[in-house]
């Protein structure tokens, strides 16, 4: 596959020599698959530059995933070293930000996310937060801030649409925020251990949450809009139009387009006694609201000419016979 000027092309069947980084720690962490306990800065300095780099314009093409329906991208294609070519089972294109993946707990390379980020903010990431920002460290600055920003933009815009870039001048750090999370996931793997224009070795990780309150409010609003659009897309458009019509005609919603509402509430005036007297206290099992309601309905029935009490004719009790009624019982046997 084609690469930039500082890397060599990789063809199907070629073997890439993998160089291990020198040991800088004292203990080997099997979870992170690296040595731990050493100097963090020395570990970054000893990283080896990637031998391959992806070129979207030249390396993109059809694979078996285009016929099988798999939506995940090839991790080795992003790194520029997939040896399978068109026989690969994953896509050799950029992830489509408009098409949602089947499983939100996986990244665009079908790798499982975790509940929290790693200590070094590397790895796949977390499914508890939608992270679209990358931390890019160890940049060699040769000019002012705007010039460095142009260099970072030129190298990172290849992997997706960029929303904003912030460069910390004299600190060799830049923060790249993509419009889609898929673009950030792809760029993190594509630019890992790569260089810009000065033959440096970049340190690309996930960025922590932005402490800026303005950005927090903007991110919250963006997520709410995405949720509303997702709900609206799954609803019947006729129901949406009906709800909009009801809200437009509801006087309580603040819309004064229709002076007369569609529905009118029928209200009966309460008697003066009920309005002048203080609310009754609850007695027994009936609350004050229940008693007030009973009085209200009794007043309505009086106005309609219906008697509040219905007299029922009581059935006369059955007269009791004197004696114990032994004669009512008989026996077939005679004494």
């Amino acid at each position: 596959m084609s690469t930039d000027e500082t890397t060599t092309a990789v063809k199907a069947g070629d073997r890439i020599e993998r160089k291990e980084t020198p040991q800088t720690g004292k203990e080997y962490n099997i979870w992170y698959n690296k040595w731990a306990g050493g100097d963090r800065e020395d570990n970054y300095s000893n990283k080896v530059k990637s031998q391959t780099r992806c070129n979207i314009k030249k390396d993109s093409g059809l694979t078996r995933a285009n016929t099988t329906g798999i939506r995940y991208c090839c991790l080795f294609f992003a790194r520029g070293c997939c040896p399978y070519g068109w026989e690969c089972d994953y896509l050799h294109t950029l992830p489509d930000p408009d098409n949602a993946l089947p499983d939100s707990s996986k990244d665009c390379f079908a790798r499982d996310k975790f509940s929290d980020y790693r200590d070094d903010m590397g790895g796949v990431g977390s499914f508890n937060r939608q992270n679209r920002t990358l931390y890019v460290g160890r940049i060699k600055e040769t000019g002012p801030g705007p010039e460095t920003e142009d260099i970072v933009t030129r190298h990172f815009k290849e992997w997706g649409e960029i929303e904003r870039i912030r460069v910390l001048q004299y600190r060799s750090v830049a923060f790249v925020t993509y419009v889609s999370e898929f673009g950030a996931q792809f760029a993190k793997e594509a630019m890992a251990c790569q260089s810009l224009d000065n033959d440096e070795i970049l340190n690309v990780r996930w960025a922590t949450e932005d402490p800026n309150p303005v950005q927090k409010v903007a991110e919250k609003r963006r997520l709410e809009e995405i949720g509303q659009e997702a709900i609206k897309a799954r609803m019947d458009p006729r129901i949406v139009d009906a709800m909009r019509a009801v809200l437009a005609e509801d006087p309580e919603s603040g819309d004064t387009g229709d002076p007369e509402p569609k529905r009118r509430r029928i209200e009966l005036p309460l008697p003066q006694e009920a309005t002048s007297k203080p609310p009754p206290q609850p007695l027994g099992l009936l609350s004050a609201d229940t008693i007030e309601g009973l009085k209200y309905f009794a007043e309505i029935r009086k106005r309609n000419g219906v008697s509040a009490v219905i007299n029922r004719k009581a059935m006369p009790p059955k007269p009791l016979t004197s004696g114990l009624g032994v004669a009512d019982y008989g026996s077939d046997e005679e004494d």
Side-chain angles (χ1 to χ4, degrees):
M1 302 176 70
S2 60
T3 57
D4 57 0
E5 297 178 358
T6 59
T7 56
T8 58
V10 179
K11 299 180 181 179
D14 291 351
R15 182 176 181 181
I16 301 175
E17 181 182 357
R18 184 173 181 179
K19 300 179 181 180
E20 299 291 340
T21 57
Q23 176 183 348
T24 59
K26 300 178 181 179
E27 297 178 356
Y28 188 77
N29 192 322
I30 61 174
W31 180 259
Y32 291 156
N33 193 25
K34 66 178 183 179
W35 292 95
D39 190 0
R40 187 176 183 181
E41 188 64 27
D42 291 342
N43 191 18
Y44 290 153
S45 301
N46 292 327
K47 280 188 176 296
V48 179
K49 183 179 178 181
S50 178
Q51 302 180 45
T52 58
R53 178 169 176 172
C54 178
N55 190 324
I56 294 297
K57 294 182 180 179
K58 296 182 179 180
D59 299 338
S60 298
L62 298 177
T63 60
R64 289 179 178 176
N66 296 102
T67 58
T68 57
I70 296 179
R71 301 181 183 178
Y72 297 102
C73 298
C74 177
L75 176 63
F76 300 99
F77 163 76
R79 295 174 178 175
C81 58
C82 180
Y84 296 104
W86 65 271
E87 296 181 350
C88 184
D89 294 329
Y90 295 91
L91 296 174
H92 279 196
T93 57
L94 288 175
D96 189 358
D98 297 330
N99 294 334
L101 296 179
D103 191 354
S104 60
S105 64
K106 298 179 181 293
D107 66 349
C108 64
F109 303 109
R111 299 180 299 180
D112 293 325
K113 296 182 181 179
F114 299 92
S115 61
D116 199 1
Y117 288 93
R118 288 184 358 187
D119 295 338
D120 58 353
M121 296 301 292
V124 182
S126 172
F127 53 76
N128 289 325
R129 182 166 69 95
Q130 189 183 60
N131 200 341
R132 301 177 296 122
T133 305
L134 297 177
Y135 167 91
V136 184
R138 304 188 66 81
I139 301 175
K140 288 185 179 180
E141 301 182 55
T142 58
E147 182 179 346
T148 305
E149 182 176 347
D150 294 340
I151 295 175
V152 175
T153 303
R154 176 161 45 84
H155 283 269
F156 278 83
K157 69 179 181 180
E158 184 179 1
W159 322 116
E161 184 180 356
I162 296 177
E163 181 177 305
R164 66 180 181 274
I165 292 180
R166 181 188 177 192
V167 177
L168 302 182
Q169 195 173 5
Y170 308 119
R171 297 184 60 180
S172 303
V173 173
F175 293 93
V176 182
T177 302
Y178 285 87
V179 175
S180 172
E181 184 184 12
F182 300 148
Q185 294 172 359
F186 196 95
K188 181 179 178 298
E189 296 296 334
M191 295 300 295
C193 296
Q194 298 289 347
S195 62
L196 299 181
D197 291 348
N198 301 304
D199 201 24
E200 65 268 54
I201 301 178
L202 298 179
N203 174 27
V204 184
R205 299 176 291 166
W206 291 112
T208 56
E209 188 175 2
D210 194 349
N212 188 356
V214 177
Q215 294 297 333
K216 287 185 178 181
V217 174
E219 182 67 15
K220 182 180 179 181
R221 187 184 302 110
R222 188 187 68 87
L223 295 177
E224 290 177 355
E225 292 177 356
I226 293 177
Q228 292 175 1
E229 292 296 332
I231 295 175
K232 191 182 298 183
R234 293 180 177 272
M235 290 181 61
D236 191 349
R238 295 174 296 178
I239 298 177
V240 177
D241 296 339
M243 290 296 296
R244 289 178 177 175
V246 171
L247 293 176
E249 297 175 355
D250 189 2
E252 298 180 358
S253 64
D255 189 1
T256 59
D258 191 358
E260 296 185 0
K262 210 170 188 179
R263 302 186 183 94
R264 293 182 179 179
R265 184 181 299 173
I266 301 176
E267 298 180 354
L268 294 175
L270 294 175
Q272 296 181 358
E273 298 179 356
T275 57
S276 60
K277 293 182 180 181
Q281 300 295 329
L283 300 175
L285 298 177
L286 299 179
S287 63
D289 295 337
T290 306
I291 296 175
E292 192 71 21
L294 292 176
K295 289 184 178 181
Y296 178 66
F297 286 110
E299 184 68 21
I300 295 176
R301 299 184 67 177
K302 287 181 181 179
R303 293 185 180 186
N304 295 334
V306 182
S307 176
V309 181
I310 301 176
N311 296 326
R312 295 182 180 180
K313 295 181 179 180
M315 297 296 294
K318 187 177 181 181
L320 296 176
T321 58
S322 61
L324 300 177
V326 181
D328 295 339
Y329 296 92
S331 176
D332 296 336
E333 298 179 0
E334 296 181 357
D335 295 339

